């Protein structure tokens, strides 16, 4: 069973930056698509950024140019990162990393098999 553990959330003022990390081990993650989703109170969970097994990335329009997803597959470990710059209050949400053993990513959350517990990001003045 793949276990994903997020870290790096916190509180920041508008315009600030945070870096989220997601760690996993025990599997050959180079064959996995991995992604970040977020869910704000009262809203549906939405995809933020995706990186497939070939390293191709995609970001939601709402974060394009501000957020950057990256991954590091070293042996049987995974470190998934999300660098978030120029944060605004609309970025406040619980952020989740997700993974599925497939080559290319889907933006549909239903396709993801594994989820972390989430890390809270709060942007306020």
């Amino acid at each position: 069973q793949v276990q994903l553990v997020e870290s790096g959330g916190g509180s920041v003022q508008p315009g600030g930056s945070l870096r989220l990390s997601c760690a996993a081990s025990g599997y050959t993650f180079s064959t996995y698509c991995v992604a970040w989703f977020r869910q704000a109170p009262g809203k549906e969970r939405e995809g933020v950024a995706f990186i497939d097994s070939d390293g191709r990335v995609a970001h939601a329009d709402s974060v394009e140019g501000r957020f950057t997803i990256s991954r590091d597959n070293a042996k049987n470990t995974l470190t998934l990162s999300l660098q978030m710059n120029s944060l605004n209050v609309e970025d406040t949400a619980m952020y989740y990393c997700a993974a599925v053993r497939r080559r290319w990513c889907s933006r549909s959350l239903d396709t993801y098999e594994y989820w972390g517990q989430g890390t809270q990001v709060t942007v306020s003045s």
Side-chain angles (χ1 to χ4, degrees):
Q1 181 75 9
V2 174
Q3 291 187 320
L4 305 173
V5 180
E6 302 99 334
S7 61
S11 296
V12 65
Q13 292 186 337
S17 297
L18 283 174
R19 185 176 182 87
L20 305 183
S21 294
C22 174
S25 63
Y27 294 84
T28 306
F29 291 102
S30 60
T31 60
Y32 283 66
C33 157
V34 287
W36 287 98
F37 286 78
R38 67 184 180 186
Q39 188 166 20
K43 294 189 177 181
E44 293 185 352
R45 193 170 296 189
E46 62 175 359
V48 176
F50 309 83
I51 184 165
D52 64 25
S53 62
D54 294 338
R56 184 180 59 179
V57 304
H59 298 84
D61 290 344
S62 59
V63 306
E64 186 73 54
R66 300 188 297 122
F67 291 11
T68 303
I69 189 172
S70 60
R71 68 187 292 170
D72 182 5
N73 307 315
K75 284 200 170 182
N76 290 337
T77 64
L78 168 70
T79 302
L80 178 67
S81 299
L82 185 68
Q83 178 65 43
M84 305 187 296
N85 299 327
S86 302
L87 285 160
N88 56 57
V89 294
E90 289 76 27
D91 296 317
T92 295
M94 185 72 79
Y95 283 71
Y96 300 88
C97 66
V100 59
R101 190 178 178 184
R102 57 187 284 173
R103 184 175 180 182
W104 291 299
C105 291
S106 166
R107 297 200 179 211
S108 172
L109 61 87
D110 292 337
T111 64
Y112 290 82
E113 298 175 89
Y114 307 105
W115 292 85
Q117 293 299 306
T119 185
Q120 178 67 38
V121 171
T122 302
V123 185
S124 69
S125 55

